[in-house]
Amino acid sequence: MRKGRKSKRAKRQEFESMQAPSAGGVRLPRGNGETIKLARGASLTDFADKIGANPASLVQVLFHLGEMVTNTQSVSDEILELLGSEMNYVVQVVSPEEEDRELLDSFSISYGEDAGGEDDLVVRPPVVTVMGHVDHGKTRLLDTIRKENVMGGEAGGITQHIGAYQVVTELEGYERPITFIDTPGHEAFTAMRARGAKSTDIAVIVVAADDGVMPQTVEAINHAQAADVPVVVAVNKIDKEGANPDKIRQQLTEYNLVAEEYGGDTMFVDISAKQGTNIDQLLEAILLTADASLDLRANPNMEAQGVAIEAHLDRGRGPVATVLVQRGTLRVGDSIVAGDASGRVRRMFDEHGEDITEAYPSRPVAVVGFTSVPGAGDTFLVVDEDRVARQIADRRRARERNAELASRRKRVSLEDLDAALKETNQLNLIIKGDNSGTVEALEDALMKIEVGDDVELRVIHRGVGGITEGDINLAIADNVIVLGFNVRAEGKATELANREGVEIRYYSVIYQAIDEIEQALKGMLKPEYEEAVLGHAEVRQVFRSSRFGSIAGCLVMDGIIRRNAKARLLRDSVVVAENLSINSLRRVKDDVVEVREGFECGLTLGNFNDIKDGDMIETYELREKPRA
Ligand code: GDP
């Protein structure tokens, strides 16, 4: 071969290496280091679409890199990046928020900023969330605050639950409103935060003075501190015997909440939600904390933006969503989009059930006019035209459908190739509930159930309202359970479910739902076995038989020796042979089923003949292990 010229083969190899990365020799398109943007939770098919490749080849490459995924399955950021670098692309994983910003950009809309400058901003009321341990009095406190204010104010009538309300309190001669989010607990708070919607300015942490700091108290504090939200502590139930408000102050110092009277900067107010004691002081403390640590201002002169707090389907009015205006002014007639729901504001009413035509920053209002039910925690914004609202909603819905599988899917353990392929150990759920807050809280809680890697829980559909035939149709596949939370099946849905064998379960208590689903998941786990030693027999003498091989004459030292039991052979305490079984068992001349401690017996270990005097035979059985 002449020097300077490459052989055909070498050339081909070079060409191939240009074409294809090393991974398993699978031929792939090769990039020039260009950047590919992929949504978080994209699948290999999404990736392949972007670079004009065959999805199957990407599956193969990943397989060779040790990852077993199907082409439609969502994969992690790391895998997308790894795959990208394998093919000489720079993969940029775009978060849902970024993606949404780009979507809004394409309509020349900016979300989240007050238009104009400093001069356009006016003071707005603080928005408060009440959090704390169960039974410490959150609900009672929210009720008391609402009632007291109704008495004092002129509105008079019965208040409705719309998910938030505003009360007015006097501070230093000024009437100051405060907005309370009326869903106690941190589920709503975290659900909103998870979507990047910051709805709360101040957290009131309720601690029962007769109980003290409890796990959910700590969780609530952590959430507030992580979100950088100032805290006011309401020490509740001071009317009760054994109430020890000082102990609460003491305990909370551990969590960086040091009372003002102890030289810290957190306001503590001793209250009784039941008797209405010191409620005014609590409201005052909220305002003082807001004034001291926050600059709460917004521009009311722009198209309204904010967050949906709660939404449900009303029989008469259709979808009703309570939104919290965060900037701008919301007016009847506005074109609005919240998450993937759009519409036009036909009517707005407040917590007294009274119609209002304009809602300013920090005002919660129930909005009638959406064509579908938005999710709790969805951001909303007003746009110029209905058409734009609809387009944004459509695009978000399409994107969500893609991303849905991603976030809702627990990882199938890849070691278990069979399971990954067959996807048998999978429980699919459809969740329907009376409002989006509970549906989300339930879903979040369910996804947190830990039963190990080999069982997967997926929520394939969720929504607000009764269980419809559509839901059942969706459920007509293996392993789909429909959960109805405070809702029932509508129309012919029950009939259809019965006919098709779809299981519907109704709940009104979240914990019960979680318990039962956890049990169901555990039921799907393959049984685990543990070994139980039955007994030991020492070999005293070995007989060689041409017909039976080695027959061991033994003395049962402890327990029992049972015919057909599993056995192992120990010699000087070392296991010489495993996975044996007691093939025949005799006492004197009779075949027996078992022989007890202290008796002699003769036994054979099937084809295993290497038995010596002094060996120990241990027998055991495998018992199914109860799941914890
Ligand atoms: P949540 O789980 O934190 O919402 O707690 P609830 O508001 O449902 O209250 C739990 C229980 O404590 C209820 O029976 C309330 O009536 C009671 N409770 C709440 N606040 C007080 C209080 O200030 N004093 C007394 N004695 N009981 C209270």
Side-chain angles (χ1 to χ4, degrees), residues 133 135-140 236-237 239-240 272-274:
H133 197 71
D135 275 350
H136 279 195
K138 301 179 292 291
T139 314
R140 190 67 186 254
N236 192 27
K237 305 199 188 183
D239 59 290
K240 283 187 96 169
S272 165
K274 191 172 178 184

Side-chain angles (χ1 to χ4, degrees), residues 130-144 184-185 206 210 235-241 271-277:
V130 175
M131 302 196 278
H133 197 71
V134 64
D135 275 350
H136 279 195
K138 301 179 292 291
T139 314
R140 190 67 186 254
L141 175 61
L142 282 162
D143 284 351
T144 303
V206 178
D210 63 334
V235 181
N236 192 27
K237 305 199 188 183
I238 53 161
D239 59 290
K240 283 187 96 169
E241 214 175 300
I271 61 160
S272 165
K274 191 172 178 184
Q275 303 186 338
T277 316

Side-chain angles (χ1 to χ4, degrees), residues 202-243:
I202 293 201
V204 169
I205 308 269
V206 178
V207 193
D210 63 334
D211 196 14
V213 172
M214 299 298 279
Q216 285 162 290
T217 317
V218 177
E219 252 178 75
I221 294 168
N222 288 341
H223 286 307
Q225 289 176 342
D228 217 3
V229 168
V231 165
V232 172
V233 180
V235 181
N236 192 27
K237 305 199 188 183
I238 53 161
D239 59 290
K240 283 187 96 169
E241 214 175 300

Side-chain angles (χ1 to χ4, degrees), residues 336-378:
I336 188 170
V337 52
D340 64 2
S342 65
R344 178 184 282 230
V345 182
R346 276 198 281 124
R347 238 195 97 187
M348 292 196 288
F349 57 93
D350 64 12
E351 62 271 24
H352 308 293
E354 301 196 359
D355 272 83
I356 53 176
T357 51
E358 288 186 327
Y360 299 105
S362 295
R363 184 94 199 56
V365 280
V367 172
V368 179
F370 282 101
T371 53
S372 60
V373 184
D378 280 344

